[in-house]
């Protein structure tokens, strides 16, 4: 199901990638326009968030039709796929 949803939003994710690539390439241009680049990156963020939201909404619709035990297993599997935050070093205390 996630693969199918990934394919459904593929045009959006390709557009996100293209916008970001154009933005980073423009750093080389003598006529660099930071306002334009910021706008492109903002558009990329919006498209990325919209695509992610569509996939998440579809996943929740799918989960809503599952029995509780399967829905709970799906929730655990999704949690396991989430990136973990980097470990933070403990704060130093004064001697």
């Amino acid at each position: 199901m996630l693969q199918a949803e990934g394919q459904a939003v593929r045009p959006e994710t390709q557009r996100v990638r293209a916008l970001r690539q154009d933005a980073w390439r423009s750093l080389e241009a003598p006529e660099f326009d930071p306002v334009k680049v910021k706008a492109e990156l903002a558009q990329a963020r919006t498209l990325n968030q919209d695509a992610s939201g569509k996939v998440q909404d579809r996943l929740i619709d799918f989960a809503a039709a599952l029995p509780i035990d399967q829905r709970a297993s799906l929730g655990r599997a999704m949690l396991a796929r989430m990136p973990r935050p980097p470990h933070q070093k403990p704060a130093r205390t004064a001697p």
Side-chain angles (χ1 to χ4, degrees):
M1 196 261 334
L2 286 175
Q3 286 178 344
E5 286 305 308
Q7 290 297 324
V9 297
R10 186 175 180 158
E12 291 160 280
T13 56
Q14 288 174 331
R15 179 72 179 134
V16 167
R17 188 175 305 111
L19 284 165
R20 288 181 178 154
Q21 288 172 342
D22 289 347
W24 303 136
R25 282 189 190 112
S26 73
L27 296 176
E28 299 177 272
E31 66 281 351
F32 175 66
D33 182 353
V35 173
K36 180 182 176 206
V37 174
K38 287 179 182 180
E40 288 174 344
L41 290 173
Q43 183 183 7
R45 284 190 300 272
T46 299
L47 287 171
N48 188 56
Q49 192 166 7
D50 288 348
S52 179
K54 288 176 185 177
V55 171
Q56 291 169 3
D57 286 350
R58 178 65 182 105
L59 180 63
I60 296 304
D61 292 342
F62 173 79
L66 295 174
I68 182 67
D69 60 327
Q70 291 178 11
R71 191 170 64 240
S73 293
L74 176 60
R76 288 189 296 273
M78 295 307 295
L79 283 171
R81 292 182 58 173
M82 289 182 65
R84 296 181 189 266
H87 296 299
Q88 293 180 339
K89 293 181 181 179
R92 287 187 156 178
T93 55

